[in-house]
Amino acid sequence: MTVATILKHKGYSVSTIAPAATVPEVAIMLAERRIGAVLVIDQEEQMLGIVSERDIVRCLAANGARMLEMTAGQLMTRAVQVAHPGTTVNEAMQLMTAGRFRHLPVVDHDTLVGLISIGDVVKARIMQQDTVVESLTAYVAGSA
């Protein structure tokens, strides 16, 4: 199973925000959409970074109330790892585990096509395991 399969089930919609948006605006977007991260995109639709709930908490711990005056561009993680549609679910899980992040943008030929979360990856792995179990059960039942 690949990242493309996850996106087919999940959809291709990605929440984005401008780098000049304030941290409170980012927090409101995350809360209203019930999501854990938003991509920071410039006017040319280029991905500049990502802001997650975790980034906001860390910034609050480091900067206190001053954080409320900061922007998404100041807060974002700039070194964003990406997946491609052909990336396998196992490869995506390894990237996320090794990098200790929960959101992975999906890029196809330098174009942002989606965003997957660790929850999406876990759900895909469970579906894979269910398919294997069903196949083995059918095989054993047919052999008996």
Side-chain angles (χ1 to χ4, degrees):
M1 185 179 288
T2 64
V3 167
T5 307
I6 293 174
L7 290 176
K8 283 180 188 173
H9 292 292
K10 175 185 180 170
Y12 299 89
S13 177
V14 178
S15 294
T16 63
I17 202 157
T22 65
V23 172
E25 290 172 325
V26 174
I28 288 168
M29 177 183 279
L30 294 176
E32 287 178 349
R33 297 185 184 183
R34 299 176 55 91
I35 56 176
V38 61
L39 295 178
V40 181
I41 304 291
D42 67 14
Q43 291 178 341
E44 289 80 40
E45 300 291 316
Q46 295 299 309
M47 181 175 50
L48 303 175
I50 188 168
V51 177
S52 70
E53 297 164 320
R54 187 179 289 173
D55 293 324
I56 293 172
V57 169
R58 287 180 179 153
C59 185
L60 177 61
N63 298 293
R66 290 191 328 254
M67 175 195 75
L68 297 173
E69 299 167 10
M70 296 175 72
T71 65
Q74 292 170 310
L75 178 65
M76 70 184 179
T77 299
R78 288 174 171 77
V80 180
Q81 292 197 32
V82 299
H84 303 281
T87 301
T88 68
V89 171
N90 287 342
E91 290 169 338
M93 184 176 280
Q94 288 172 357
L95 271 174
M96 295 167 103
T97 301
R100 298 182 53 92
F101 52 86
R102 298 176 290 170
H103 299 88
L104 187 60
V106 182
V107 175
D108 189 15
H109 297 98
D110 296 326
T111 302
L112 178 66
V113 295
L115 178 69
I116 62 171
S117 70
I118 191 67
D120 300 325
V121 172
V122 169
K123 182 177 177 182
R125 289 282 293 150
I126 290 170
M127 287 173 47
Q128 282 179 321
Q129 296 303 321
D130 288 347
T131 301
V132 169
V133 168
E134 288 172 11
S135 296
L136 288 172
T137 301
Y139 176 76
V140 170
S143 299

